[in-house]
Amino acid sequence: MARKKQPPVDEETAKTIGKLLRGLRKTAGYKAVHEAAAMPECPAALQTIYAYERGGLVPSMKQFLDLVEFYALKSPKAPAEIRHEAVAAVVTAISLPAYHLTAAMALVARLNASWASGGKR
């Protein structure tokens, strides 16, 4: 089966994701993108991080999680409180339409309702 092209992510969602990443980067102690991108553990290139933060590109869920982990767990200057911000960022991101979790949960609810009402097995 051919892969279906995903619909584009709306501008507001893209900017929200970028704002989450920018906030984490700054809390982690990186005032500028180039400081974070210069770290060997950084999972994204300089231009990619810029594009994510300004909302020009939307990272895949894996890319988003890799950056969150880098900022929260692998940044030497990151304060312990960043973990709370990282949890909030992940929870916010998975609720956005870009990552389709809400659509997946709605499908699970429909499947469960169908199953409970004696639908086909």
Side-chain angles (χ1 to χ4, degrees):
M1 178 193 282
R3 292 175 103 189
K4 181 178 173 187
K5 185 174 180 179
Q6 295 295 323
V9 175
D10 66 277
E11 186 176 333
E12 182 180 337
T13 298
K15 288 189 181 219
T16 298
I17 293 168
K19 185 176 179 182
L20 292 169
L21 291 172
R22 183 173 42 259
L24 284 169
R25 174 180 50 79
K26 288 182 177 185
T27 302
Y30 302 110
K31 292 180 182 179
V33 173
H34 68 85
E35 294 173 0
M39 299 297 292
E41 302 87 6
C42 185
L46 177 75
Q47 292 300 325
T48 304
I49 297 172
Y50 276 127
Y52 291 161
E53 287 190 9
R54 75 171 191 276
L57 284 177
V58 175
S60 68
M61 178 53 81
K62 176 157 179 24
Q63 292 165 326
F64 179 83
L65 294 174
D66 286 348
L67 278 167
V68 170
E69 182 178 17
F70 167 69
Y71 291 138
L73 299 176
K74 297 179 180 176
S75 298
K77 294 193 246 178
E81 303 84 50
I82 194 173
R83 292 178 184 198
H84 299 291
E85 185 177 341
V87 168
V90 171
V91 169
T92 300
I94 62 175
S95 70
L96 295 170
Y99 296 123
H100 311 288
L101 181 66
T102 52
M105 295 308 293
L107 175 59
V108 167
R110 290 193 310 275
L111 292 167
N112 280 333
S114 174
W115 184 268
S117 66
K120 290 185 179 180
R121 293 185 187 183

